Amino acid sequence: SAVISQKPSRDICQRGTSLTIQCQVDSQVTMMFWYRQQPGQSLTLIATANQGSEATYESGFVIDKFPISRPNLTFSTLTVSNMSPEDSSIYLCSVVRGLNTEAFFGQGTRLTVV
Amino acid sequence: KQEVTQIPAALSVPEGENLVLNCSFTDSAIYNLQWFRQDPGKGLTSLLLIQSSQREQTSGRLNASLDKSSGRSTLYIAASQPGDSATYLCAATGGGNKLTFGTGTQLKVEL
């Protein structure tokens, strides 16, 4: 398993501002991912956080809006930039220790943009 | 593009009943299929993972099956309890360990 700490757990933000979400894992992991869960919807992959290089974004997500850092094998951040009410969602960090193995998730960050 | 569907969308059962949740996926080229539980406002808890070469996995009262050729997986919950009330999500793993999630089944087990 993996112990994943995600901060903050929730926040209410003004439109036009930015929020950085942190994801800390208890030990080194190969792969880290960021997902979004919009209200009443299932999870959608935003990007794969690559250690030491730029993140790989899924269709519909861009670096300017969701910059991601991954400075080492246990930590990553996701920034939601220039927020609008449409960005109100739960953002979840996920890790996988090895290829095609079990995925584990943090408790999520519930973001409300007003 | 992989699409994952779950039926039913919602289910309400009396305590003690056995139940089956269904998951279907359009692209059979998956590496594994994972079932998760999500409590309201919370993250995901991994329940079972079935590798593409496997037919089923069991953990306690939970049993998950996988039929890759027909694009189907089922989660069987035996002797349901109120504490089982949650949303259950299935996810198919494709290349790069990327998960495609289903739409979820919201389960309520009543006393």
Side-chain angles (χ1 to χ4, degrees):
Chain A
S1 65
V3 178
I4 303 169
S5 173
Q6 205 173 316
K7 294 179 182 179
S9 59
R10 59 176 59 225
D11 207 341
I12 301 174
C13 300
Q14 296 291 323
R15 66 178 67 202
T17 63
S18 298
L19 175 71
T20 296
I21 303 167
Q22 298 180 359
C23 178
Q24 178 75 54
V25 191
D26 63 335
S27 59
Q28 293 183 351
V29 292
T30 306
M31 286 166 273
M32 297 181 76
F33 305 88
W34 288 97
Y35 288 82
R36 179 176 74 179
Q37 186 176 31
Q38 294 177 296
Q41 305 292 317
S42 194
L43 281 76
T44 301
L45 178 63
I46 297 173
T48 302
N50 301 309
Q51 194 267 325
S53 65
E54 199 169 279
T56 305
Y57 290 84
E58 297 301 303
S59 175
F61 298 96
V62 295
I63 187 171
D64 290 345
K65 178 66 176 178
F66 297 103
I68 288 170
S69 79
R70 188 174 174 196
N72 55 52
L73 292 175
T74 63
F75 186 78
S76 178
T77 66
L78 168 73
T79 299
V80 186
S81 303
N82 188 26
M83 289 183 285
S84 68
E86 291 70 37
D87 294 320
S88 298
S89 299
I90 299 175
Y91 293 85
L92 298 108
C93 169
S94 174
V95 303
V96 176
R97 291 200 180 281
L99 195 61
N100 303 328
T101 59
E102 193 172 6
F104 299 98
F105 283 79
Q107 288 301 295
T109 296
R110 180 180 289 273
L111 170 62
T112 302
V113 184
V114 298
Chain B
K1 179 187 173 185
Q2 178 75 273
E3 292 183 5
V4 181
T5 306
Q6 292 184 244
I7 294 174
L11 184 62
S12 182
V13 299
E15 182 180 13
E17 193 160 300
N18 302 324
L19 55 100
V20 175
L21 308 182
N22 296 292
C23 171
S24 61
F25 46 95
T26 56
D27 185 354
S28 62
I30 63 171
Y31 291 96
N32 59 54
L33 192 292
Q34 199 164 347
W35 283 91
F36 296 90
R37 167 187 172 136
Q38 185 175 33
D39 293 283
K42 303 291 186 180
L44 275 65
T45 300
S46 177
L47 297 174
L48 287 166
L49 177 140
I50 313 175
Q51 296 293 351
S52 60
S53 58
Q54 297 176 320
R55 296 286 293 186
E56 65 178 274
Q57 280 287 333
T58 299
S59 176
R61 294 182 294 109
L62 305 179
N63 176 276
S65 68
L66 175 64
D67 184 341
K68 238 181 70 164
S69 61
S70 67
R72 295 177 187 274
S73 177
T74 61
L75 179 67
Y76 175 83
I77 302 177
S80 58
Q81 303 171 357
D84 294 331
S85 298
T87 296
Y88 290 80
L89 295 163
C90 67
T93 300
N97 265 89
K98 299 176 185 178
L99 272 63
T100 302
F101 279 86
T103 45
T105 293
Q106 191 171 357
L107 173 65
K108 183 176 182 181
V109 181
E110 299 174 319
L111 290 169

